[in-house]
Every structure is written in structure tokens, then in C-alpha cells.
Amino acid sequence: STLTNASDEPFRWVFHGNIIIPTGNPLHAPDPKEQQQEAAAAPEEKDVIWIGPGLMLCRCHVLCVDQDGIIEHISHQDTMNITDLKKRRNYVRLGKYEFLCPGFIDLHIHAPQFAYTGTATDRPLMGEDGWLETYTFPAEKSLGDDLRKAKHVYRGVVQTTLATGTTTACYYGTLHLEPCKVLVEVCLEQGQRALVGKVCMDRNAPPDYLQDTTQNVKETKTLIKYIHKRAGKEEDSTRLPLVLPVVTPRFIPTCTPELMKKLGQLAKDYHCHVQTHISESKDEVQFSKQLDFAQDGGGGRTDAEILDSHCLLTSRCILAHGVFCSGLELDLCRDRGAAIAHCPLSNFFFAGSALSTKRLMQRKIKVGLGTDVAGGYHPSMLESQRMCVVASKAVDQAKGGDGKHSLDYRHAFYLATLGAAEALGLEDCIGTFCLGMEFDAIILSAKVESPIRVFKDTDTVQDVFQKLCTLGDDRNVKAVYVQGKQVKKPKEIYEV
């Protein structure tokens, strides 16, 4: 078999051990008990454990990645010549308490705000002394004035998020074009998959941090072309380009109808993703309605209706927050194929409420997770997963505590991986492990110095995976791979 021919090295990587594979929305997946029974009766599914709806743990399995970074083979070890595989240069034997997992996908993160992450938690979102006016706008503007500083900040955010397991990030850049180009270059340099957008604003922002409609559109188009030149176009490549452009109107209060309309057309012309904020806080929702009624001639429409009227609500649209979206708005998002980026940590600070994420998942609305740095003070998607669970408990308790709104670590893991890939419309390329998909992955390990301790007499392998999801941090992210390339290497390991 060519799979066991060690002389020609057809594989870039061969992984052997525990492999975690999300298969779909857990609220619409088959009963795991039934799937476990089917697995027990099928020889090809030997050592497959369904640890929850839509989530497989494949023990004693082998995953092979070809030289182009594409997954070429997945099977039980009994189907392979393990002795020959061990001779390969890039054979990786995972420990008993280590797991090969799909890389995390951060659907919402403000790259220039990384410099003040962990501060500004004492401010409201809007107003003269608010978070935007006091921290956000000055910090973002400063990068347009100093490209060396921009490179320093962007290297920090990309290296930090990679170290915590984020293989794909949807980045908001700044108003200015040149720092956005710097962010593109840093992502290419560091090997992180990214969607990068120039933030567009032509009203209701500081006079020295505004552009007119024409300049916003012109510079957005320039950035799209720049990214296509540096990373390639989707339609011209056999692989997904490492960096993709994303049209980025900041949110309705800072964008005139003319700007939103032209950005919607730009996204259509270039088949780009769109990212913006929607129904984030009560004051934002009210302000948007007032603008639509008093200035924009729309009669006081909802955020979703306004965005839809400008052709921004598409199947490639990522809407951050959505905490105060009505049922009709959510139906409109579902009908258009738009997705919600759930940012549980920042919602606690600025929304004053928690998103009913389970309701979205039940309604088959696309949803994934975001850190929302720096509104969310932690850049790790592991932390976002934990906050997602906590937020769901808060919603459930507010609604009577019957468990109907609660999520657990398995739901959150789906939202950080395959759910987020589905939100981007990239589930055929990233987000899980299937033949022909690109290899974006991490190794989660309990065999490092961290808060996790494994008790061999009582902990099952499923227990250890849950501990990693619940207690893990960057120390437990042993290695990171994007497009088959290793972008974080393991540190010294010790036995637990």
C-alpha cells in the first residue's frame, strides 16, 4: 500500500492516537447512544466513542496529511502498517491524554484593540465617557499614525491567538488602509488563516477618525485587491487562500445608508464576506432606529431590516452579538443564510444580557463563537467556549432553570469549530476532519504543566477531554497547524 511505503514520504504528517471529530449541530444530530450501538456493530468504526450528539472521539486512529496540507487518510490503526508509519519523519504519536482537534475559529475579533485587552472593563459601550470614545477610537487611530506600532500590535494579537489554538480569525482592522495591509502581511508571515476587513465609518465618530463615503469604498476595494494579490482569489485556487477579504461596515450608527448600499454592492461584486455588529445593546438598537426614522428615511426599522435593505445580509455575512434581535430578525437572518458571532464575554459587559444561543441553534440559524477582543477581555477561544456555557446557564436561570436553554462543553466546542466554519460557509474546507479538507488543527494535551491533573484510576479519556475544554489554556495547546504547516511547536512535556 502507498500508505505504508515509507521511502517516498507522500505525507507531510501522520498522526496516531485520539482524534476529535465534530460532525454537525448537536441539537440536530442523531442520538449518540444509537450511534454508539451502530459503531459497535461496524468494524470500520472500531474504537469510535460518541461523547455527545455530533461529536466523535476516535481512539487508536491514524490521520494522514499530504504535502499540500490536505487530509488524505483517516482510519483505525488496525488498517495500517504501524511499524512502517513510525519510520516516517513526521510521525506524531499522541499520548494517552492528548487529542488532535480541529483548530478554533474566532468569528469576531478587533485586532487593533489587542493593545488594551484586559482594560476598559469599567466603561459603557457608547457616550462621551464610553468605551468607544475613550479607548477604541484613539487606539485604532494611533495605528494609522504609526505603522511600526501597528506591526507590533498585530504580531502580538496573531501570535497570542495562534498560541491559544485559533487557526482562523475574522479580524476587524482600522479605518485606515495602510495598517490593514500590515495586518494582512502579519497573518501571512505568522501563518494564521484570517479574514481581514477595513473598518468603514462615515458618521457618528470623532472628526479625526472618519472618512467620507467615497474614501471608505475606495479603500475597501483597494484592500480587497491587495489581499487577492498577496494571498490569491478563492475562485483561482485549488486551496482556500490563507487570507480572505471581508467588507466591514462597523455598525449602523457609524455608517450612512449610502455607504452601506455601496459596501453591499462591493461585497456582491467581489463575492466577499461581510462582517458587522447587530443589536448589540439596547442603546445601540434604539439609536439605530432613531437614525433610520429621523435621518435615513426608513421609518425606524430593525438592524436586520436595515442591513438587508442594503444587500449586506447574505450567506457570507457574520453578525456580531445579536443579543436583542427579535424573532422576526432571526428568521430574516436564517432566510438569508447570515450567521451570528456569539461573543458571550463581551455581552456580559456591554449588552447587559446574554444571548439565547440554544434558541438560535434550535432554529437552525448559523452561529459560532467570537472573543470580541477587546470588548471581551480574553483572547482565547477556550475561554469563549467556557463563557458560552456560563452565558447559557444565565439565560436558563433567568427563564426558570428548567435546563431548556443550557449548553455544555460539547455544544461550545462545536460552535468554536465546525459551527463557526458553517457560519463562514467554509465547512467543506475547515472546521472538522474529513478527506479532502485542509488540515487546520491543534493538539490539546493534559501532559503539560497546567491546572489540569489526570487521575488515572478514575478519569476516562472522555473525562480528560472535558477537563481540557473546561480548564485548559494556552499551555495545553501543545501544537498548532494551519494548511498543514506547523505554526506552534510543542514545549517540553512531562508525565502527569
Side-chain angles (χ1 to χ4, degrees), residues 260 264 267 274 276 278 302-319 325 328-340:
M260 287 188 281
V274 174
T276 189
I278 187 171
T302 65
D303 281 12
E305 290 171 328
I306 294 169
L307 294 171
D308 189 50
S309 72
H310 300 301
C311 300
L312 290 165
L313 209 64
T314 72
S315 61
R316 296 196 127 200
C317 178
I318 304 297
L319 302 162
C325 282
L328 291 175
E329 285 186 278
L330 293 175
D331 287 343
L332 180 58
C333 291
R334 181 191 60 211
D335 293 344
R336 298 291 185 265
I340 299 293

Side-chain angles (χ1 to χ4, degrees), residues 10-293:
F11 301 124
R12 176 178 287 182
W13 298 104
V14 176
F15 296 91
H16 180 195
N18 300 317
I19 302 173
I20 299 289
I21 303 180
T23 62
N25 184 333
L27 299 186
H28 299 281
D31 186 329
K33 292 182 179 179
E34 295 179 1
Q35 290 186 291
Q36 192 65 61
Q37 291 174 353
E38 293 175 3
E44 66 273 14
E45 294 193 29
K46 183 179 180 181
D47 286 325
V48 170
I49 301 172
W50 288 92
I51 57 179
L55 189 61
M56 275 196 305
L57 164 59
C58 301
R59 303 193 64 188
C60 306
H61 272 59
V62 175
L63 184 150
C64 303
V65 182
D66 72 13
Q67 295 294 342
D68 293 323
I70 304 298
I71 299 171
E72 186 171 310
H73 184 87
I74 307 173
S75 73
H76 191 270
Q77 64 184 21
D78 289 353
T79 68
M80 311 290 287
N81 186 327
I82 300 301
T83 301
D84 282 352
L85 286 177
K86 289 180 178 179
K87 299 176 183 177
R88 296 186 179 279
R89 184 180 58 215
N90 287 332
Y91 170 80
V92 179
R93 183 64 170 104
L94 301 170
K96 182 179 180 180
Y97 303 127
E98 294 180 336
F99 304 83
L100 183 69
C101 306
F104 299 138
I105 301 171
D106 188 342
L107 287 184
H108 186 66
I109 178 169
H110 294 266
Q113 297 175 19
F114 179 72
Y116 65 90
T117 301
T119 66
T121 60
D122 57 339
R123 304 280 178 155
L125 178 63
M126 302 173 70
E128 291 185 4
D129 64 342
W131 189 79
L132 290 172
E133 294 281 354
T134 308
Y135 284 88
T136 302
F137 293 149
E140 292 183 6
K141 180 181 179 297
S142 71
L143 302 193
D145 300 330
D146 186 347
L147 294 184
R148 290 179 62 186
K149 180 181 179 181
K151 190 172 186 178
H152 177 66
V153 171
Y154 289 155
R155 276 185 172 167
V157 67
V158 172
Q159 290 173 351
T160 299
T161 52
L162 275 174
T164 58
T166 299
T167 52
T168 300
C170 297
Y171 285 122
Y172 282 59
T174 66
L175 179 75
H176 300 114
L177 173 63
E178 293 307 315
C180 294
K181 291 181 178 179
V182 172
L183 178 55
V184 171
E185 294 302 323
V186 169
C187 291
L188 292 172
E189 166 194 284
Q190 298 294 320
Q192 185 179 53
R193 193 183 298 281
L195 289 82
V196 176
K198 171 201 135 41
V199 170
C200 293
M201 301 187 293
D202 65 348
R203 67 175 176 183
N204 295 321
D208 61 352
Y209 197 54
L210 271 179
Q211 292 177 342
D212 62 31
T213 301
T214 300
Q215 188 176 2
N216 272 292
V217 175
K218 179 181 178 181
E219 291 193 0
T220 297
K221 184 184 292 186
T222 300
L223 182 62
I224 292 171
K225 292 182 177 179
Y226 181 83
I227 293 173
H228 285 165
K229 181 179 179 180
R230 293 291 293 117
K233 298 181 180 180
E234 284 185 78
E235 59 268 28
D236 296 338
S237 177
T238 56
R239 293 197 305 173
L240 189 65
L242 191 66
V243 179
L244 296 172
V246 53
V247 171
T248 309
R250 184 173 215 121
F251 65 158
I252 291 168
T254 60
C255 297
T256 63
E258 181 185 8
L259 176 56
M260 287 188 281
K261 181 178 180 180
K262 290 184 176 181
L263 292 176
Q265 186 61 49
L266 204 59
K268 180 179 179 181
D269 291 344
Y270 287 92
H271 191 54
C272 284
H273 286 82
V274 174
Q275 62 181 2
T276 189
H277 301 76
I278 187 171
S279 301
E280 178 176 2
S281 64
K282 290 182 178 179
D283 54 350
E284 178 273 316
V285 171
Q286 187 61 34
F287 188 28
S288 294
K289 283 190 175 183
Q290 289 174 351
L291 287 171
D292 189 56
F293 182 81

